[in-house]
Amino acid sequence: MSLVIKNFSKIYDKTQIIKDVSIEVERGEILGIFGAVGEGKSTLMRVIAGIEMANGGQITYNSIDFTDKPCEERGFHFPSLTNESFWKSVFNNDKASQLADGEGQVLALENALEQAEEVLLLDNQFCFMDRQTREQNCQKLRHKVKEKNLAVIFATNSFTEIFDICDRVAILHKGKIVQSGTPREVYEKPNSATVAKVTGRNNLIEARLLTSNKTELPEFLTVNGEHRLFTNKTNKNLLDLTDQNLTLAIRPEHISISFGASFPEDNLLKAQITNIVFKGETTLIKLDANGLVLDALVLRLVGLNIGEECMVGLPPKRILVLKNH
């Protein structure tokens, strides 16, 4: 049994906020809806919940059509903790006014998990919780979903929560689903610069292709710094776009830092350390390679100081070639 949304659209004041969104979530599964602020996540959740009606599309659960069902009837089957519904219905009592926002979200989640029998919709459910409380409730949510065999849609703008909670994720951008898959698949293989940017810290490098699209290891010239970089095999359709710049992407944790020599094919660049940001379990190092600004992430900082020069390596197999949109 699954909850199926096909070609949902929503228009406000002649502006289309949700554009032909189609998603499906099975019982026992948590599907994440992820995007930056203002991309339409809450609007989509309100439409699915029946708080607002769609301007097009279909919603079915267990092959039953709920598209034209009123909010009250749909909400009975799809209990939701959207920004409005949970404050109005769950907390319409004197005790609510005495609770901090985080405590309120914990109580709301407990009530929702107790009441939900088939489907549960959660919108930005952990935004007021501290880290420890959030981790505890993430575990509670996952346990209850498996125990009660719930189908859950979870909307958030935190990809950390997507990693902690979700089995699959759909990336929402400008009201459209632009990529879907497991959280790891989307993080490691974003299909565009837009997805690469919003799913965690990333080095996005504008570059143009130097070699033939039939070359085993394509070579690019960066716009900033004019560095020659090799990449791994890539989509030949992208390499056919020789009349426009492409985006090279490499995560900070994949950049290596050294003071020794290596081979040109290792994409070794000379860079200056411009800043060091201690972030607890990791350290973020800001680098400038002749105008090409890079972030590198290391577990332990040894022998590095601001203003010093070092060599940074961008392994070809770690560089993705992406379309800009």
Side-chain angles (χ1 to χ4, degrees), residues 75-315:
F76 176 77
H77 292 274
F78 310 153
S80 60
L81 292 186
T82 58
N83 290 337
E84 295 160 293
S85 63
F86 122 71
W87 292 113
K88 288 183 178 179
S89 61
V90 179
F91 284 119
N92 189 20
N93 56 61
D94 293 337
K95 183 179 179 180
S97 63
Q98 302 173 17
L99 295 174
D101 290 342
E103 293 175 304
Q105 286 191 324
V106 170
L107 180 58
L109 181 62
E110 289 176 352
N111 290 344
L113 289 173
E114 181 178 342
Q115 297 169 13
E117 297 181 1
E118 296 176 328
V119 176
L120 180 61
L121 309 177
L122 300 174
D123 184 14
N124 214 16
Q125 175 56 33
F126 299 100
C127 62
F128 295 124
M129 296 185 194
D130 60 76
R131 181 191 59 80
Q132 185 174 0
T133 303
R134 183 170 58 249
E135 290 178 355
Q136 291 171 349
N137 282 273
C138 285
Q139 293 178 3
K140 182 185 300 183
L141 172 61
R142 288 195 60 83
H143 174 74
K144 283 293 184 181
V145 168
K146 301 303 180 184
E147 180 184 279
K148 300 184 71 173
N149 199 30
L150 301 175
V152 178
I153 300 180
F154 177 87
T156 180
N157 56 15
S158 167
F159 210 75
T160 299
E161 291 180 0
I162 293 292
F163 277 131
D164 289 343
I165 296 169
C166 301
D167 301 292
R168 291 186 298 117
V169 60
I171 308 297
L172 194 65
H173 177 62
K174 293 183 178 180
K176 293 182 178 180
I177 300 295
V178 293
Q179 187 173 355
S180 60
T182 67
R184 181 173 180 174
E185 288 170 348
V186 173
Y187 181 83
E188 293 184 343
K189 297 181 180 179
N191 63 5
S192 69
T194 296
V195 176
K197 185 187 300 181
V198 300
T199 53
R201 194 180 294 275
N202 216 327
N203 292 288
L204 303 180
I205 304 167
E206 188 178 3
R208 64 178 181 270
L209 182 66
L210 293 179
T211 52
S212 164
N213 60 6
K214 297 179 181 179
T215 305
E216 185 73 10
L217 292 178
E219 186 180 13
F220 291 83
L221 184 69
T222 67
V223 172
N224 293 327
E226 297 188 336
H227 299 286
R228 290 175 176 261
L229 298 179
F230 291 94
T231 70
N232 209 351
K233 293 181 181 179
T234 192
N235 187 337
K236 292 192 182 301
N237 292 330
L238 282 176
L239 297 184
D240 285 335
L241 301 174
T242 55
D243 59 337
Q244 57 185 279
N245 292 339
L246 294 171
T247 297
L248 308 182
I250 181 168
R251 298 284 184 185
E253 62 267 29
H254 294 150
I255 291 181
S256 62
I257 299 177
S258 70
F259 295 93
S262 188
F263 299 99
E265 55 266 30
D266 291 334
N267 291 327
L268 207 68
L269 311 179
K270 181 181 290 186
Q272 184 179 49
I273 299 171
T274 60
N275 198 16
I276 297 172
V277 183
F278 179 70
K279 301 180 74 67
E281 65 269 29
T282 60
T283 297
L284 181 67
I285 302 173
K286 299 279 187 177
L287 301 152
D288 188 332
N290 192 33
L292 178 63
V293 177
L294 299 169
D295 287 347
L297 199 64
V298 298
L299 290 175
R300 192 161 57 97
L301 185 64
V302 178
L304 297 175
N305 297 289
I306 295 175
E308 292 182 344
E309 286 191 343
C310 61
M311 303 302 290
V312 294
L314 286 66

Side-chain angles (χ1 to χ4, degrees), residues 56-67:
Q58 182 184 41
I59 179 169
T60 61
Y61 175 68
N62 196 20
S63 301
I64 300 172
D65 194 337
F66 282 86
T67 306

